[in-house]
């Protein structure tokens, strides 16, 4: 979702100013005077990241190239690859790391036996993509909706509405994986209770999780969350939540994490976090029931949205 765009959408900018004026969000549009505020809050809204240009006039309309930080890239590569090399070299007892990877890859293309729970979870995961697609292509409609009751009272402006949509989508995302995993682990739903679920999770991590699972899952989650946090630090709330579509000027950030990963470090981070959690909770029952297929669907959703933001 975090993006750097060279130009803002003019119609969206005009609709935003007409609909909500200077009070629609916690940061001010580029075309209105900056509201004095406490410095930390300003940075939370607009980011701490290093920009190639000192001001908006310098930054407007320029094509910017971000120079990759090779030492930092090498450090991240070492953190990712080093433990993997050590595990592949040392783990000889079945299932080996290679055998586990092959099994996870096969499980990700399961297309038979996927019941209603799977498709319900897919629909819940799609909520975020549908909402972001609407905002991306018709931001003026989104602004108009945000300006009507009861949405205006609930949302407080387009940018704040995006924050709330993000929060709802994360609840749906976590809930989908929890519900699906429990449905696979407890084939007999009558045996499912809070205490049984807790004991089952403890037993899973105590007895079922391999060393390769534990290391790989932890690696992915830590790196993924580092990237996600870095995006907020670099370009702020307006940059993360499509402020460019509402008339906000988003400075072109040339620092971390854009100088280490791709043009979409947040999607990379989100994908890594999801895959890390899926790795940690993988079990024979989950593999057979479509656990990795659900993860594959969400990865494809991230790929779709990164393509939309980068090319459309």
């Amino acid at each position: 979702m975090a993006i750097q765009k060279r130009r803002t959408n003019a119609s969206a900018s005009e609709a935003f100013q007409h609909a909500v004026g200077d009070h629609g969000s916690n940061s001010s549009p580029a075309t209105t005077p900056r509201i004095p505020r406490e410095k930390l809050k300003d940075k939370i809204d607009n980011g701490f990241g290093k920009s190639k240009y000192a001001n908006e006039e310098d930054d407007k309309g320029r094509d910017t190239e971000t120079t990759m930080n090779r030492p930092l890239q090498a450090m991240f590569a070492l953190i990712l690859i080093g433990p993997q090399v050590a595990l592949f070299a040392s783990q000889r007892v079945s299932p080996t790391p290679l055998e586990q990877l092959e099994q996870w890859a096969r499980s990700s293309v399961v297309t038979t036996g996927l019941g209603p729970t799977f498709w319900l979870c897919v629909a819940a995961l799609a909520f975020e993509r549908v909402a972001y697609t609407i905002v991306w292509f018709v931001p003026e409609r989104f602004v108009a909706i945000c300006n009507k009751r009861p949405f205006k009272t609930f949302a407080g402006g387009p940018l704040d509405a995006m924050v709330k949509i993000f929060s709802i989508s994360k609840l749906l995302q976590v809930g989908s994986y929890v519900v699906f995993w429990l449905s696979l682990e407890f084939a007999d739903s009558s045996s499912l209770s809070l205490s049984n679920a807790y004991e089952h999770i403890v037993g899973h991590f105590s007895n079922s999780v391999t060393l390769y699972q534990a290391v790989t899952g932890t690696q992915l989650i830590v790196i993924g969350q580092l990237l996600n946090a870095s995006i907020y630090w670099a370009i702020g709330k307006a940059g993360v939540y499509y402020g460019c579509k509402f008339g906000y000027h988003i400075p072109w950030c040339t620092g971390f994490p854009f100088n280490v990963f791709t043009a979409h470090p947040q999607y990379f981070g989100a994908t890594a976090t999801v895959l890390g959690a899926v790795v940690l909770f993988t079990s024979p029952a989950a593999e057979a029931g479509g656990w990795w297929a659900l993860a594959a669907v969400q990865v494809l959703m991230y790929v779709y949205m990164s393509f939309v933001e980068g090319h459309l």
Side-chain angles (χ1 to χ4, degrees):
M1 176 168 50
I3 53 169
Q4 300 198 88
K5 299 298 290 182
R6 189 72 3 238
R7 293 178 296 277
T8 58
N9 183 301
S11 61
S13 176
E14 292 167 3
F16 175 84
Q17 293 174 58
H18 175 74
V20 295
D22 295 341
H23 308 288
S25 177
N26 289 335
S27 61
S28 53
T31 52
T32 60
R34 198 166 190 69
I35 302 172
R37 73 192 76 187
E38 194 240 334
K39 187 175 181 181
L40 179 60
K41 183 176 184 301
D42 175 70
K43 287 299 185 181
I44 289 173
D45 281 351
N46 299 298
F48 292 78
K50 179 183 177 182
S51 176
K52 185 172 182 177
Y53 302 111
N55 55 56
E56 179 182 340
E57 290 305 315
D58 246 0
D59 190 45
K60 269 184 179 175
R62 302 215 183 178
D63 291 325
T64 314
E65 291 185 6
T66 300
T67 302
M68 293 293 105
N69 186 322
R70 300 306 180 191
L72 203 54
Q73 284 183 321
M75 184 187 75
F76 270 90
L78 183 62
I79 293 172
L80 272 172
I81 299 172
Q84 294 292 313
V85 172
L87 287 169
F88 269 80
S90 62
Q91 298 292 298
R92 301 296 185 184
V93 179
S94 185
T96 64
L98 181 59
E99 290 171 345
Q100 291 176 78
L101 285 175
E102 290 174 344
Q103 179 58 34
W104 297 343
R106 286 193 296 268
S107 300
S108 67
V109 293
V110 170
T111 57
T112 58
L114 301 176
T117 304
F118 174 86
W119 297 111
L120 182 63
C121 291
V122 169
L125 294 176
F127 167 81
E128 186 176 46
R129 303 280 74 80
V130 171
Y132 292 168
T133 299
I134 291 172
V135 172
W136 186 261
F137 287 108
V138 284
E140 65 281 357
R141 297 263 184 98
F142 181 74
V143 171
I145 292 172
C146 289
N147 197 41
K148 295 179 180 178
R149 296 184 183 278
F151 300 103
K152 185 176 182 179
T153 303
F154 167 74
L159 199 60
D160 293 321
M162 288 297 294
V163 175
K164 291 178 173 65
I165 288 173
F166 174 80
S167 300
I168 293 170
S169 68
K170 290 304 116 179
L171 287 174
L172 288 173
Q173 179 180 337
V174 173
S176 296
Y177 279 100
V178 170
V179 168
F180 191 54
W181 190 79
L182 291 175
S183 73
L184 297 176
E185 296 294 316
F186 290 86
D188 179 11
S189 59
S190 62
S191 63
L192 177 59
S193 66
L194 190 60
S195 59
N196 286 346
Y198 174 77
E199 291 175 2
H200 190 81
I201 292 172
V202 171
H204 169 76
F205 281 97
S206 301
N207 306 315
S208 301
V209 174
T210 65
L211 178 61
Y212 183 69
Q213 272 182 270
V215 173
T216 303
T218 302
Q219 275 186 297
L220 290 170
I221 290 174
V222 169
I223 290 176
Q225 288 306 296
L226 173 62
L227 288 174
N228 285 337
S230 299
I231 285 293
Y232 282 85
W233 179 268
I235 60 178
K237 185 172 73 173
V240 170
Y241 296 110
Y242 290 171
C244 66
K245 289 293 182 177
F246 306 134
Y248 292 80
H249 170 70
I250 313 300
W252 189 268
C253 180
T254 58
F256 182 80
F258 295 98
N259 62 352
V260 174
F261 285 88
T262 65
H264 297 281
Q266 187 179 18
Y267 283 131
F268 187 97
T271 300
T273 300
V274 168
L275 292 179
V278 169
V279 166
L280 289 177
F281 281 89
T282 290
S283 69
E287 288 177 354
W291 181 238
W292 276 91
L294 186 64
V297 168
Q298 185 163 24
V299 170
L300 289 175
M301 289 181 183
Y302 284 137
V303 171
Y304 154 76
M305 205 65 221
S306 65
F307 176 81
V308 167
E309 292 178 5
H311 302 281
L312 300 179

